[in-house]
Amino acid sequence: MNYISLGISPEQAEKIAREHFDVKGRATPLPGYVDCNFRLEVDAGEGYILKVSRPDENEDYVHFQQELLRHIAQKETDTIAPKALNDAKGNPLTSFTDKDGRRRMVRLLTWVPGRLWSHVIPQLGALRFSLGEKCGRLTRTLQGFDHPQAYRELEWDIARSLWTRDHLDLFDQKERQILRDFQDRFARGRVEYGVLRKAVVHNDANDNNLIVSEEPVHPTVKAVIDFGDAIHTQIINDLAIACAYAIMGQNDPLDAALPVIRGYHSAFPLEERELEHLYAAIAMRLVVSVTKSALSKYEEPDNSYLRISERPAWELLQKWYTINADFALYSFRQACGFEAHPRRAAFEKWAGNKAFRISELFPTIGKDGIHPLDLSVASRWLGMQTDFDDLDLFQFKIDRLQQQHPRKIIAGGYLESRTVYTTSEYGRIGNSGPEKRTLHLGTDFWLPAGTAVHALFDGEVVTSVNDTGDKEYGGLIILKHT
């Protein structure tokens, strides 16, 4: 926030600190959403943060923030947070009258040294794990804290995020579709979401509210600061917010979110049912962010702080929109040590009681035996890359192998680690650089072109394409069975 818009200069901030807290320091303005903030550097010690409220701010709301910080300090845990200091007269809150005759409340907090998350490069998985762990510890520390102001209405509360539906007209057609789909998904789950665990949480672990240690190698998150958005809401919202900001700018946002989730779960164990709403909660925090940014262009055109995350939030929303929600859930579950799919045991029990013959899959060829073919990294049959990149030679070797085993079907490959994925179709740029797929996710059967393939069960065709890329699948049909 621009400090001039609140009518307080650094010189005035220094005077306020001297007169009310008997602290002499050099004031430097800091960004802020609600308060006018200054860093006070002193000759001895780490210094302070001076927070000057907007005119006529609700005193109960400011008192709530002070009490919350005192709760953390009294817990005597390893949670690091700014400490709220009394004024020179021993008062927990003090105030002054500005030049326009308006009452302004003032607080002095201890300065937590370190770097802002937004200044740390690179942001690797270990750092994101420490973020989740620190946020989880803070949630644990805040258990049992309560205050009437924790129940105030806040537009940044994900639980109330459907107010954004009233402002879809601010966006173009493509943007509206993305926002509407996420809003509808969140609305469909509101009944189950409404009974999730609630508590007072920080609610704003964005990249300018996270203090990271100074180590150039293996830095960790030291503290979460700025409790102005703390509120009583679903606990899963706090993790969703930490994820939303930590994964901005990442090529693979889902993969980037998993260390945050693991870290949070290690410090504050999550329930399985909470994870079912995490995908939508992350999206809705971003929906609120871009909507607030769009509104701020009209309501507070000079407040650039409100729009600081607009572009990266939109980039993330568009990527998040392409991620399958079920796959995200299974990834979240696995990150927390749960079975990736909640019905895996039931499926394995069902599958263990079924028996099928290969002849049911290929009834026209009169074969039931299998000759396994090893195409793994350890395969001696496969040869060097020059061998398997020569498709004519590869086909010749298959044909010769089939002649040696005429009554069997050549097959194999499930979860086999292979080196044959050499083309760009199997590569991507991950969060730490280029990545190449190596794991085979199916079972191969080598049969003549035109061989009939019969489904083992009734099903629905959900994909039918010719995947024509270099070394791609070719004809691809996917069936869904119930």
Coordinates of all heavy atoms in Angstrom, one line a residue, residues 324-352:
N324 N -7.3 -32.6 -13.7 CA -8.4 -33.4 -13.3 C -8.6 -33.4 -11.8 O -7.7 -33.7 -11.0 CB -8.3 -34.8 -13.8 CG -9.5 -35.7 -13.5 OD1 -9.6 -36.2 -12.4 ND2 -10.3 -35.9 -14.4
A325 N -9.8 -33.0 -11.3 CA -10.0 -32.9 -9.9 C -9.8 -34.2 -9.1 O -9.3 -34.2 -8.0 CB -11.4 -32.3 -9.6
D326 N -10.2 -35.3 -9.7 CA -10.1 -36.6 -9.1 C -8.6 -37.0 -9.0 O -8.1 -37.4 -7.9 CB -10.8 -37.7 -9.9 CG -12.3 -37.6 -9.8 OD1 -12.8 -37.0 -8.8 OD2 -13.0 -38.1 -10.7
F327 N -7.8 -36.7 -10.0 CA -6.4 -37.0 -10.0 C -5.7 -36.1 -8.9 O -4.8 -36.6 -8.2 CB -5.7 -36.7 -11.3 CG -4.3 -37.0 -11.4 CD1 -3.8 -38.3 -11.2 CD2 -3.4 -36.0 -11.5 CE1 -2.4 -38.5 -11.3 CE2 -2.0 -36.2 -11.5 CZ -1.5 -37.5 -11.4
A328 N -6.2 -34.9 -8.8 CA -5.6 -34.0 -7.7 C -5.9 -34.6 -6.4 O -5.0 -34.6 -5.5 CB -6.2 -32.6 -7.9
L329 N -7.1 -35.0 -6.1 CA -7.5 -35.6 -4.9 C -6.6 -36.8 -4.5 O -6.1 -37.0 -3.4 CB -9.0 -36.0 -4.9 CG -9.5 -36.9 -3.7 CD1 -9.2 -36.1 -2.3 CD2 -10.9 -37.3 -3.8
Y330 N -6.5 -37.7 -5.5 CA -5.7 -38.9 -5.3 C -4.2 -38.6 -5.0 O -3.6 -39.2 -4.1 CB -5.8 -39.9 -6.5 CG -7.2 -40.3 -6.8 CD1 -7.5 -40.6 -8.2 CD2 -8.2 -40.3 -5.9 CE1 -8.8 -40.9 -8.5 CE2 -9.5 -40.6 -6.3 CZ -9.8 -40.9 -7.6 OH -11.1 -41.2 -7.9
S331 N -3.7 -37.5 -5.6 CA -2.4 -37.0 -5.3 C -2.3 -36.5 -3.9 O -1.3 -36.7 -3.2 CB -2.0 -36.0 -6.4 OG -2.0 -36.5 -7.7
F332 N -3.3 -35.7 -3.5 CA -3.3 -35.2 -2.1 C -3.3 -36.3 -1.1 O -2.6 -36.2 -0.1 CB -4.6 -34.3 -1.9 CG -4.7 -33.1 -2.8 CD1 -5.9 -32.5 -3.1 CD2 -3.6 -32.5 -3.4 CE1 -6.0 -31.4 -3.9 CE2 -3.7 -31.4 -4.3 CZ -4.9 -30.9 -4.5
R333 N -4.2 -37.3 -1.4 CA -4.3 -38.4 -0.4 C -2.9 -39.1 -0.3 O -2.5 -39.4 0.8 CB -5.4 -39.4 -0.9 CG -6.8 -38.9 -0.8 CD -7.8 -39.9 -1.3 NE -7.7 -41.1 -0.7 CZ -8.3 -41.5 0.4 NH1 -9.1 -40.7 1.0 NH2 -8.1 -42.7 1.0
Q334 N -2.3 -39.4 -1.4 CA -1.0 -40.1 -1.4 C 0.0 -39.3 -0.6 O 0.9 -39.8 0.1 CB -0.5 -40.4 -2.8 CG 0.7 -41.3 -2.8 CD 1.0 -41.7 -4.3 OE1 1.2 -40.8 -5.1 NE2 1.0 -43.0 -4.5
A335 N 0.0 -37.9 -0.8 CA 1.0 -37.1 -0.1 C 0.8 -37.1 1.4 O 1.8 -36.9 2.1 CB 0.8 -35.6 -0.6
C336 N -0.4 -37.4 1.8 CA -0.7 -37.5 3.3 C -0.5 -38.9 3.8 O -0.8 -39.2 5.0 CB -2.1 -36.9 3.6 SG -2.2 -35.2 3.3
G337 N -0.1 -39.9 3.0 CA 0.0 -41.2 3.4 C -1.2 -42.1 3.4 O -1.2 -43.2 3.9
F338 N -2.3 -41.6 2.8 CA -3.5 -42.4 2.7 C -3.4 -43.2 1.4 O -2.6 -42.9 0.5 CB -4.7 -41.5 2.6 CG -5.0 -40.6 3.8 CD1 -5.0 -39.3 3.7 CD2 -5.1 -41.2 5.1 CE1 -5.2 -38.5 4.8 CE2 -5.3 -40.4 6.2 CZ -5.3 -39.1 6.1
E339 N -4.2 -44.2 1.2 CA -4.3 -44.9 -0.1 C -4.7 -43.8 -1.1 O -5.6 -43.0 -0.9 CB -5.3 -46.0 0.0 CG -4.8 -47.3 0.7 CD -3.8 -48.1 -0.2 OE1 -3.5 -47.6 -1.3 OE2 -3.4 -49.1 0.3
A340 N -4.1 -43.8 -2.3 CA -4.4 -42.8 -3.3 C -5.9 -42.8 -3.6 O -6.5 -41.8 -3.7 CB -3.5 -43.0 -4.5
H341 N -6.4 -44.0 -3.8 CA -7.9 -44.1 -4.1 C -8.5 -44.8 -2.9 O -8.1 -45.8 -2.4 CB -8.1 -45.0 -5.3 CG -9.5 -44.8 -5.9 ND1 -10.6 -45.2 -5.2 CD2 -10.0 -44.2 -7.0 CE1 -11.7 -44.9 -5.9 NE2 -11.3 -44.3 -7.0
P342 N -9.6 -44.1 -2.4 CA -10.2 -44.6 -1.1 C -10.8 -46.0 -1.3 O -11.1 -46.7 -0.3 CB -11.2 -43.6 -0.8 CG -11.5 -42.8 -2.1 CD -10.2 -42.9 -2.8
R343 N -11.1 -46.4 -2.5 CA -11.8 -47.7 -2.7 C -10.8 -48.8 -3.3 O -11.2 -49.8 -3.8 CB -13.0 -47.6 -3.6 CG -14.0 -46.7 -3.0 CD -15.3 -46.7 -3.8 NE -15.9 -48.0 -3.8 CZ -16.9 -48.4 -4.6 NH1 -17.4 -47.6 -5.5 NH2 -17.4 -49.6 -4.6
R344 N -9.5 -48.6 -3.1 CA -8.6 -49.5 -3.6 C -8.8 -50.9 -3.0 O -8.7 -51.9 -3.8 CB -7.1 -49.0 -3.4 CG -6.1 -50.1 -3.8 CD -4.7 -49.6 -3.6 NE -3.7 -50.6 -3.8 CZ -2.4 -50.5 -3.8 NH1 -1.9 -49.3 -3.5 NH2 -1.6 -51.5 -4.0
A345 N -8.9 -51.0 -1.7 CA -9.0 -52.3 -1.1 C -10.3 -53.1 -1.6 O -10.2 -54.3 -1.9 CB -9.1 -52.1 0.4
A346 N -11.4 -52.3 -1.8 CA -12.6 -53.0 -2.3 C -12.4 -53.5 -3.7 O -12.8 -54.6 -4.1 CB -13.7 -52.0 -2.2
F347 N -11.7 -52.7 -4.5 CA -11.4 -53.1 -5.9 C -10.5 -54.4 -5.9 O -10.8 -55.3 -6.7 CB -10.8 -52.0 -6.7 CG -10.3 -52.4 -8.1 CD1 -11.3 -52.6 -9.1 CD2 -9.0 -52.7 -8.3 CE1 -10.9 -53.0 -10.4 CE2 -8.6 -53.2 -9.6 CZ -9.5 -53.3 -10.6
E348 N -9.5 -54.3 -5.1 CA -8.6 -55.5 -5.1 C -9.3 -56.8 -4.6 O -9.0 -57.9 -5.2 CB -7.4 -55.2 -4.2 CG -6.4 -54.2 -4.9 CD -5.2 -53.9 -4.0 OE1 -5.2 -54.3 -2.8 OE2 -4.2 -53.4 -4.6
K349 N -10.2 -56.6 -3.7 CA -11.0 -57.8 -3.3 C -11.8 -58.3 -4.4 O -11.9 -59.5 -4.6 CB -11.8 -57.4 -2.0 CG -12.6 -58.5 -1.5 CD -13.5 -58.1 -0.3 CE -14.3 -59.2 0.2 NZ -15.1 -58.8 1.4
W350 N -12.5 -57.4 -5.1 CA -13.3 -57.8 -6.2 C -12.5 -58.4 -7.3 O -12.8 -59.5 -7.8 CB -14.0 -56.5 -6.8 CG -14.8 -56.8 -8.0 CD1 -16.1 -57.2 -8.2 CD2 -14.3 -56.6 -9.4 NE1 -16.4 -57.3 -9.5 CE2 -15.3 -57.0 -10.3 CE3 -13.1 -56.2 -9.9 CZ2 -15.2 -56.9 -11.6 CZ3 -12.9 -56.1 -11.3 CH2 -14.0 -56.5 -12.1
A351 N -11.4 -57.8 -7.7 CA -10.5 -58.3 -8.7 C -9.9 -59.7 -8.3 O -9.8 -60.6 -9.2 CB -9.4 -57.3 -9.1
G352 N -9.7 -59.9 -7.1 CA -9.1 -61.2 -6.6 C -10.1 -62.3 -6.7 O -9.7 -63.5 -6.8

